[in-house]
Amino acid sequence: MNYRSIFFLILAGNSASGFLTKNLKRNPIIQHGTQQPVQLSGSPSDKHPVSNKQDLLQNLDDTFAYEGRLPMKADFRCGFVSILGAPNMGKSTLLNALLKEDLCIATRRPQTTRHAILGVITTSDTQLCLIDTPGIIDNPAYKLQEGMMEAVMTAFYDSDVLMVVTDLFSSPIPDDKIFEKVRRIKVPVIVVINKIDLVGKANPSADENEDEGKTYTVPDAVAKWRGLLPNALAIIPVAASEGTENEGVVFLRKLLIGGTDIPAAIRNLGRPIPGMFKADAKFLTDEDAKSLLPPGPPLYDEEVLTDRPERFFASELIRESLFETLKKELPYCCEVRIDEFKEPKENEKKKLSRIKATVYVERDSQKIIVIGKGGEQIKRVGVRAREKLENFLQGKVFLELTGKGP
């Protein structure tokens, strides 16, 4: 772990609001209250034994002590794992399974995710910060896609571990430059082969793209990705759609948080597949798992699941309902804006959240598709979205939904 990571962890502030992570990590380090750069002796490139790093952490913890900051914990580890891959690989579904919460919307429509979304898992000795990124595309066609690719690029600056998600068919990262960055990155890389539940359900003889390097079995997919990323720490088959207790998901979660008895979790996956681990390793140890995240204090209170506010997830759930209701008719560039979000009043007998939202589209012809004849379509979207919002907010919701063109 370098000085930059150590200072960032020490400067973690009161995280109940959950909005410090990314901006603080990219900004110059400043001493709390003085707004002056911290002067430190030695070069950031100097190598120090682990004991010296722990002493430095404690020293900085004492230096930056102030009311409301989360305290340093002995032997605590905290770090970022960025999830990236081609569109429609199931990255959001995987994040939800790892978190054991439906945090991200997940549909069959490619590039459903438009923003980098943080999900946090906190245990007694680890805080794992997972970042779900938009699907990678080769040539962004408009500003929205350019912004999505900027979110992807932050993974190469903010990550302690990089997690590449592909599928049974070995769908590649479509951007060669990004793939080369993955190959050259110095942090550990884990490849996740998702959708292994599709084994036997695809017909290679009927596939027009058979000659493009597709794979149809788990051993073939593992072998292909071991060839593509020979230095990957592990290549793990999972079926994220099966949920939190899928054997691959359980092993991946345990590996990332540094859980105990990693070899037993590997055995639960079944017979070892050649290439799952590096050539010089037949399995991973508990020490391998604990070395993934650097030592440092937690950045968020243990109850925090994400740094995004409720308004953001309200707009995402409405957008998910649009995908599910309109399917391929839905204009890709539509956006949902929350105009008003009123939480239930304390003296209300029946707690009711009041939400007003607008669906924005690029052209008037698209507005007709979203609203439908006599407002029928947008009513259907509203009914579906209200059910999702009530489940998410754990209470009744009044939703007023409108559509608007240019």
Side-chain angles (χ1 to χ4, degrees):
M1 182 176 66
N2 57 32
Y3 278 104
R4 176 175 174 268
S5 300
I6 293 174
F7 301 155
F8 168 57
L9 293 173
I10 288 298
L11 283 173
N14 185 345
S15 63
S17 61
F19 293 100
L20 294 179
T21 309
K22 292 188 177 180
N23 289 336
L24 182 59
K25 191 165 188 178
R26 294 198 192 97
N27 285 343
I29 302 303
I30 55 175
Q31 189 171 3
H32 181 78
T34 66
Q35 300 297 301
Q36 296 295 322
V38 178
Q39 301 297 324
L40 294 157
S41 61
S43 167
S45 63
D46 290 344
K47 295 183 178 179
H48 296 268
V50 173
S51 60
N52 286 352
K53 290 179 181 177
Q54 293 290 355
D55 291 343
L56 180 58
L57 281 169
Q58 187 60 55
N59 183 28
L60 290 174
D61 186 54
D62 296 338
T63 301
F64 290 103
Y66 57 89
E67 184 179 355
R69 190 178 65 78
L70 295 176
M72 178 70 180
K73 297 182 179 181
D75 300 323
F76 199 88
R77 296 173 299 110
C78 177
F80 288 83
V81 177
S82 291
I83 305 171
L84 57 82
N88 213 24
M89 292 296 100
K91 298 183 293 297
S92 298
T93 303
L94 178 62
L95 176 60
N96 290 341
L98 290 169
L99 294 173
K100 300 184 179 180
E101 296 281 353
D102 288 335
L103 182 67
C104 301
I105 66 173
T107 74
R108 294 181 182 274
R109 186 92 174 251
Q111 291 187 301
T112 301
T113 302
R114 293 180 176 177
H115 312 270
I117 298 176
L118 173 72
V120 181
I121 300 175
T122 304
T123 68
S124 60
D125 61 359
T126 305
Q127 188 166 88
L128 172 64
C129 303
L130 295 155
I131 303 175
D132 182 26
T133 64
I136 298 170
I137 55 176
D138 189 8
N139 294 307
Y142 37 84
K143 289 293 184 181
L144 173 61
Q145 291 184 335
E146 290 177 4
M148 291 161 63
M149 291 308 97
E150 287 179 7
V152 171
M153 295 307 296
T154 62
F156 295 97
Y157 303 102
D158 292 347
S159 301
D160 298 293
V161 179
L162 207 61
M163 187 156 62
V164 177
V165 181
T166 182
D167 58 11
L168 176 68
F169 311 112
S170 296
S171 298
I173 293 175
D175 188 306
D176 292 340
K177 292 182 179 179
I178 291 181
F179 178 72
E180 189 61 27
K181 280 182 171 288
V182 174
R183 277 176 33 87
R184 294 178 178 274
I185 199 166
K186 300 301 183 182
V187 302
V189 174
I190 296 172
V191 178
V192 176
I193 298 175
N194 195 16
K195 304 185 183 182
I196 64 170
D197 49 320
L198 297 180
V199 170
K201 297 179 181 179
N203 183 5
S205 61
D207 195 335
E208 297 178 356
N209 298 319
E210 184 183 2
D211 60 344
E212 294 185 4
K214 275 193 172 184
T215 55
Y216 295 88
T217 67
V218 175
D220 286 349
V222 170
K224 178 170 182 178
W225 279 92
R226 178 53 65 189
L228 291 170
L229 296 173
N231 292 323
L233 177 70
I235 300 175
I236 305 171
V238 308
S241 62
E242 294 182 359
T244 63
E245 299 308 313
N246 172 261
E247 291 85 354
V249 172
V250 171
F251 168 56
L252 182 58
R253 185 189 303 117
K254 181 169 286 193
L255 175 64
L256 292 172
I257 65 175
T260 58
D261 208 353
I262 294 296
I266 295 173
R267 290 193 294 272
N268 290 338
L269 297 177
R271 175 177 288 187
I273 300 171
M276 281 183 64
F277 310 111
K278 291 182 180 180
D280 57 348
K282 295 183 178 179
F283 58 90
L284 297 177
T285 65
D286 293 359
E287 289 71 26
D288 292 326
K290 288 187 179 297
S291 69
L292 287 177
L293 301 184
L299 302 178
Y300 301 94
D301 289 333
E302 60 183 19
E303 299 86 4
V304 170
L305 178 64
T306 183
D307 61 347
R308 295 280 187 172
E310 289 181 338
R311 291 175 72 104
F312 171 80
F313 289 104
S315 68
E316 287 287 275
L317 290 171
I318 294 171
R319 193 163 63 89
E320 182 180 43
S321 300
L322 282 162
F323 279 120
E324 294 172 347
T325 303
L326 300 179
K327 298 181 173 60
K328 292 184 179 180
E329 293 182 62
L330 179 68
Y332 181 76
C333 285
C334 77
E335 187 58 79
V336 177
R337 180 178 299 172
I338 303 299
D339 303 310
E340 188 176 284
F341 191 116
K342 292 184 177 180
E343 297 181 356
K345 299 177 181 177
E346 292 184 4
N347 58 352
E348 281 185 332
K349 292 183 179 180
K350 293 183 179 180
K351 300 297 182 181
L352 180 69
S353 298
R354 296 167 175 83
I355 301 173
K356 292 183 180 180
T358 303
V359 180
Y360 288 90
V361 293
E362 290 184 304
R363 296 187 291 273
D364 288 331
S365 59
Q366 296 171 342
K367 178 181 174 182
I368 296 172
I369 295 173
V370 171
I371 295 177
K373 186 177 181 180
E376 180 181 346
Q377 286 283 46
I378 203 163
K379 287 179 183 177
R380 290 173 56 208
V381 172
V383 169
R384 189 186 291 259
R386 187 175 67 250
E387 292 176 356
K388 292 177 181 290
L389 289 166
E390 289 179 344
N391 182 59
F392 177 75
L393 297 172
Q394 296 295 295
K396 291 294 184 181
V397 172
F398 171 79
L399 175 62
E400 182 179 326
L401 191 60
T402 58
K404 189 173 182 179

